[in-house]
Amino acid sequence: MRVPLIAGNWKMNTTVGEAIKLVKEMLPRLDEIDGVEKVLCPPFVSLAALKELIKGSSIKLGAQNLYFEEKGAYTGEISPLMLANLCEFVIIGHSERRQYFGESGELIGKKVLAALKVGLKPILCIGERLEENEAGRTEEVVTEQLRSSLAEVKKLDGLTIAYEPVWAIGTGKAATGGQANETISLIRHFISQLYNRSVAQSLRILYGGSVTASNSSEFIKQPGIDGALVGGASLDAKQFLSIVKQTSEISQTR
Ligand code: PEP
């Protein structure tokens, strides 16, 4: 049984004060929802304060990025070792990192390895752009992203994949549950070829792209979808709580 995971990607939003306020708004109710792993991914600067705030709760923290080197002359970067004491998860290869910061599959692969080496759990994002989708190239694109990002990764323990079609991120134009499930099945099949069937069956694969409280159940109900990476809606305590609650209820009926 794969435990569903709902992760909130706050992106470059919230000051430390705003982050604390947002967590305080959801903390008691979020904490008591069970059967779902709940992960908040605030900006780096809020991780330490939120770690204190969520101490003793069932809520977990993730970072939104890292650099693959342990330390050194890499001005402005954050290393896996620095994050290892602050959070459990780390988003890697988000489409905004690929698009605005030119991250390649090879670089993303190094980041995945570096995260796993210090015991961080990567949430590896993959997904096709609109023109690739329209050209019928979705499978080719996501499998190539997986191939390059996992080239040196021998064991997937701790890793989660988030399938996020780029055309659905922040656009309000989500995929349908059926579309997402279909691509996620292809991804799982590809993972079973790269590794083996049991690795593929135990790997969590999330959907991400304009998930809200109104459409989240459509995704969570799909047999192959193990949760969601939520952007915009994770900045709204009510919506995020509702998404997690619905996920918990659906998972209990499985
Ligand atoms: C994301 O940031 O990963 C994301 C899916 O954003 P949104 O939910 O806003 O589309």
Side-chain angles (χ1 to χ4, degrees), residues 11-62:
K11 312 196 189 200
M12 197 175 71
N13 293 295
T14 67
T15 60
V16 177
E18 288 164 346
I20 291 172
K21 185 165 173 274
L22 183 54
V23 171
K24 281 186 174 164
E25 256 177 83
M26 17 187 177
L27 187 55
R29 274 174 297 158
L30 193 56
D31 185 25
E32 67 196 19
I33 305 173
D34 50 25
V36 186
E37 209 163 8
K38 301 152 284 192
V39 182
L40 303 177
C41 305
F44 287 129
V45 292
S46 294
L47 284 170
L50 296 190
K51 185 184 171 198
E52 283 306 305
L53 198 58
I54 61 163
K55 211 179 241 169
S57 80
S58 57
I59 298 160
K60 295 172 177 173
L61 290 178

Side-chain angles (χ1 to χ4, degrees), residues 193-207:
Q193 289 177 329
L194 272 186
Y195 296 86
N196 61 50
R197 205 178 117 75
S198 105
V199 167
Q201 283 311 314
S202 51
L203 176 72
R204 283 190 294 199
I205 309 182
L206 316 179
Y207 168 75

